């Protein structure tokens, strides 16, 4: 059976969608995208459960972004965006993930037209939960995500608010670069992102039908 | 012994430096960087010798960029930028590579402050040569790179022109995200980049002390 650790060991690509929740687009004063756009985090950024803390690089305004992550179970090329069944079939399992972001580094990159790679790619910038078996999430577009900092709720929204849904994301990625078994796709963050400083405790989780899925818990400083 | 195919199979990260040759910075009307910046290509973009052609996505102005690539032989974290010996020791071997780039896609991303991932990451956008054993390149900062299109020489420069040298690049990457055995680092392209259309034949190679290194040959349409 897969574990977070075997998922990290087998992962060759972490693809993340940007601006996939309308209220999060607004809170960062960004444009709502007409089509999905993506960026890569290196597999080396994955932080396994219990392996914290998240590194706070000097001079970096570090933001959390809680996201539902999909682990890919089979190769995908040129997937039809309307083929929901094939998209669902390609999902092996899930993780909860925090897309840690150097917000000031990202803002500077955006201003200068430079890549987002450094802002998103520091070691430890992707804390993940344990492996969530596929059957625990009957509908990935109806999952409640939450994240708190030092016990204060910061993000608390349902994945039904995604602007682009998972079949469209997988289709777009599959048409550009393809997806391989073991790849991880982050599906975007809802509103409420914000900064953490050294010592702040992040907890995050996921509810299905009002019930917490224990495998999805993240607890990291 | 390593082959291009085993290198692709073991690669988890392809890190590329941007704007590392002054005359190439000028030809694209870019700013000369005060410090190196990086972006990722997915390992799935690697195109093995003989596995062409390079895909020409519709509506994409496809550019070639010939580059010397370093294959990493051991884990690197927080490398001292002045520790040339440790940097050299971490190099397993080399490849010649063409960093294929959707130039119009990249220009639009730059204008909008969006990631470069799609512009750089299409499947087949990283043709590589065969594995070049380390001893064939006694000094990676004194290698002649060339690339021709349909027999016409387009790029033809020495790696001594790099703005940031390999120890500095490896140090910077090692301090942000670390380097793992099997990672590939592209060291930037000299001047002369330009477009190719369907059917154009790209040939590229590498000379040490005026002599072609046969393992470095690339021949792809
Ligand atoms: Mg995110
Ligand atoms: Mg990028
Ligand atoms: Mg390049």
């Amino acid at each position: 059976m897969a574990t977070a650790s075997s998922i990290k060991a087998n992962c060759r690509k972490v693809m993340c969608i940007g601006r996939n929740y309308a209220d999060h687009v607004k809170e960062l004063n960004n444009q709502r995208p007409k089509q999905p756009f993506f960026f890569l985090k290196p597999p080396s950024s994955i932080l396994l459960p219990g392996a914290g803390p998240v590194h706070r690089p000097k001079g970096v305004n570090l933001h959390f972004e809680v996201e539902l992550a999909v682990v890919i179970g089979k190769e995908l090329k040129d997937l039809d965006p309307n083929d929901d069944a094939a998209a669902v079939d390609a999902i092996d399992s899930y993780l909860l993930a925090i897309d840690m972001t150097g917000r000031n580094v990202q803002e500077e990159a955006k201003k200068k037209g430079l890549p987002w790679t450094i802002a998103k790619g520091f070691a430890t910038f992707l804390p993940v939960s344990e492996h969530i078996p596929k059957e625990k999430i009957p509908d990935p577009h109806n999952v409640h995500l939450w994240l708190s900092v030092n016990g204060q709720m910061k993000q608390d929204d349902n994945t039904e608010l995604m602007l682009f849904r998972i079949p469209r994301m997988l289709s777009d990625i599959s048409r550009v670069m393809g997806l391989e078994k073991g790849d991880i796709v982050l599906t975007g963050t809802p509103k409420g992102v914000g900064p953490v400083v050294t010592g702040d405790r992040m907890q995050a989780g996921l509810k299905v039908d009002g019930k917490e899925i224990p495998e999805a818990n993240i607890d990291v400083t």
Side-chain angles (χ1 to χ4, degrees), chain A:
Chain A
M1 168 151 147
T3 60
S5 170
S6 71
I7 289 169
K8 177 174 181 174
N10 293 320
C11 174
R12 305 228 303 167
K13 174 161 76 219
V14 181
M15 272 295 264
C16 311
I17 188 168
R19 304 180 195 166
N20 203 27
Y21 287 79
D23 286 340
H24 169 63
V25 175
K26 271 190 227 158
E27 73 184 347
L28 292 184
N29 295 314
N30 280 321
Q31 295 282 335
R32 188 161 160 164
K34 294 204 185 72
Q35 52 188 39
F37 74 84
F38 299 93
F39 57 89
L40 290 162
K41 287 175 93 99
S44 52
S45 64
I46 296 172
L47 183 69
L48 294 174
V54 174
H55 177 50
R56 267 73 166 174
K58 254 188 214 158
V60 169
N61 176 22
L62 186 62
H63 269 213
F64 53 81
E65 302 186 349
V66 71
E67 312 201 7
L68 180 65
V70 170
V71 182
I72 300 298
K74 55 167 67 166
E75 202 178 327
L76 272 186
K77 278 205 199 301
D78 299 323
L79 174 69
D80 180 334
N82 300 312
D83 192 345
D84 283 17
V88 169
D89 188 48
I91 297 175
D92 173 81
S93 52
Y94 299 93
L95 297 167
L96 192 64
I98 310 179
D99 172 20
M100 300 303 303
T101 303
R103 192 68 72 201
N104 57 332
V105 182
Q106 185 195 31
E107 289 303 329
E108 202 186 325
K110 283 160 64 176
K111 227 180 293 169
K112 294 186 173 166
L114 293 178
W116 293 16
T117 306
I118 304 294
K120 293 286 190 177
F122 279 88
T124 75
F125 268 29
L126 187 55
V128 298
S129 71
E130 284 300 343
H131 167 254
I132 306 169
K134 188 174 185 175
E135 59 272 19
K136 297 266 176 128
I137 299 185
D139 178 3
H141 304 106
N142 184 15
V143 168
H144 198 88
L145 307 178
W146 63 268
L147 180 144
S148 69
V149 177
N150 301 329
Q152 274 214 318
M153 197 59 80
K154 298 290 186 182
Q155 296 191 273
D156 194 22
D157 261 320
N158 194 292
T159 57
E160 74 193 349
L161 296 171
M162 286 181 193
L163 297 175
F164 300 104
R165 290 159 78 93
I166 293 168
R168 171 68 190 277
M169 283 181 231
L170 300 191
S171 167
D172 274 34
I173 302 168
S174 81
R175 284 154 177 251
V176 170
M177 55 183 79
L179 280 160
E180 300 177 306
K181 186 172 154 65
D183 285 349
I184 296 173
V185 178
L186 268 64
T187 60
T189 195
K191 70 176 180 298
V193 305
V196 279
V197 297
T198 302
D200 281 346
R201 178 181 184 185
M202 292 176 275
Q203 290 170 284
L206 176 163
K207 284 188 240 178
V208 172
D209 286 335
K211 272 182 261 162
E212 294 283 346
I213 305 294
E215 290 92 338
N217 285 340
I218 298 179
D219 188 346
V220 68
T221 51

